[in-house]
Amino acid sequence: MVGAARYKKIAEDLRRRLQSGEWQPGETIPRMADLAAHYKAARGSVAAAIGELEAEGLLVSIPRRGTMVRQGTMRLRRPRGNLVKRNVATDNPGYSFPSASGQEVWKHHIPPVAASEPLTDPRIAKLLGVPVGTAVMRRFRVTGPESEPPFQINISWIHPRGVADAAEVASQAPGPGDWLYRLEKAGHWPISWMEIHRARMPTKDEASLLEIPTTLPVLEIVRVGTSGRDGQPIEVTEYIVASDRVETVHVLHRDESAQDPWPEDTETDR
């Protein structure tokens, strides 16, 4: 009982310090060892106090980064529909995909990377239509709106024929989605897309990049882009988004079997 009362008092004081603004959203609080020394308490009591504040949504433990002040108990969610838009926020050609919009500017949270690498993931290789181990262009990004914490990890794999047609896909263009514009300009217009969605738990690296706990599920979206020239996959992109940041919105369409009125309704109208 004494131990329980101790961690409750530590949690109460940390809550007060957080609410007073001693640490700002996104800022890392002192290490557990330092907090234990400050409160003259066992590390277990401090860990229990931090766990309570995590459950309240005030703190979040990030692998290899420490415990951070969370961006509010309910972070800004963004709807993810099914519209692909041309960018209008800049003069650079390109596309914005859900959950981005063509009117806003997103930033990189880490330096973007583009390099030719062997594709070792059998699932992605199958979707891209290449044998496992094929060298493909891999583009790695962690992006999000300028005023928000990291929103998504996106990794693109470009088919070798796309790289041969448009070597510019390896460069970092001024505008988002420019590399898709380059592929289309090189002869793959119009690229069409389909997506596969599933929920899963994040890896430690993904949790660290998205600034979320490893206990928070992510939404994994795999997009397959098909060339308008030959009808074959030209790119595959994987998006990884924290589940508390996104809501998917889908328009449902009637199958041919559901187009006509029900027979009894037709008979009633006669």
Side-chain angles (χ1 to χ4, degrees), residues 143-263:
T143 61
E146 284 191 314
S147 60
E148 299 178 20
F151 182 82
Q152 67 186 21
I153 300 167
N154 48 298
I155 311 165
S156 298
W157 294 269
I158 304 173
H159 196 283
R161 74 186 193 287
V163 180
D165 293 337
E168 307 97 315
V169 297
S171 63
Q172 174 55 39
D178 173 271
W179 61 278
L180 290 165
Y181 161 76
R182 300 295 174 187
L183 287 174
E184 289 186 328
K185 188 177 180 181
H188 295 280
W189 168 270
I191 297 175
S192 58
W193 296 278
M194 62 86 71
E195 291 184 340
I196 305 165
H197 296 205
R198 69 176 181 178
R200 62 172 174 82
M201 302 308 293
T203 66
K204 287 185 177 181
D205 287 341
E206 291 167 349
S208 179
L209 290 170
L210 292 173
E211 299 181 5
I212 60 172
T214 55
T215 54
L216 179 69
V218 294
L219 177 64
E220 177 194 273
I221 302 164
V222 176
R223 183 189 79 207
V224 181
T226 299
S227 167
R229 181 172 71 190
D230 55 24
Q232 298 299 312
I234 192 67
E235 65 93 9
V236 174
T237 296
E238 180 185 45
Y239 297 96
I240 302 158
V241 190
S243 59
D244 69 341
R245 297 295 309 278
V246 66
E247 295 174 343
T248 59
V249 181
H250 304 274
V251 177
L252 302 184
H253 300 279
R254 286 179 177 267
D255 178 72
E256 184 178 349
S257 64
Q259 295 288 344
D260 298 325
W262 290 95

Side-chain angles (χ1 to χ4, degrees), residues 3 8-9 44 71 109 124 133 158 177 199 242 259-260:
K8 287 286 187 182
K9 287 186 177 297
Q71 307 278 343
H109 287 268
I124 300 298
I158 304 173
Q259 295 288 344
D260 298 325

Side-chain angles (χ1 to χ4, degrees), residues 7 11 32 45-57 59 61:
Y7 96 78
M32 195 173 297
S45 296
V46 174
I50 289 175
E52 181 170 304
L53 298 182
E54 282 188 292
E56 295 175 11
L59 295 174
S61 294

Side-chain angles (χ1 to χ4, degrees), residues 97-163:
F97 288 82
S99 297
S101 77
Q103 286 74 38
E104 67 183 354
V105 177
W106 281 35
K107 71 176 183 178
H108 294 288
H109 287 268
I110 65 170
V113 177
S116 178
E117 299 180 8
L119 179 50
T120 58
D121 186 326
R123 180 185 182 215
I124 300 298
K126 183 177 181 180
L127 291 172
L128 191 58
V130 299
V132 174
T134 300
V136 301
M137 180 58 61
R138 177 179 180 269
R139 296 171 59 90
F140 185 90
R141 306 287 188 271
V142 180
T143 61
E146 284 191 314
S147 60
E148 299 178 20
F151 182 82
Q152 67 186 21
I153 300 167
N154 48 298
I155 311 165
S156 298
W157 294 269
I158 304 173
H159 196 283
R161 74 186 193 287
V163 180

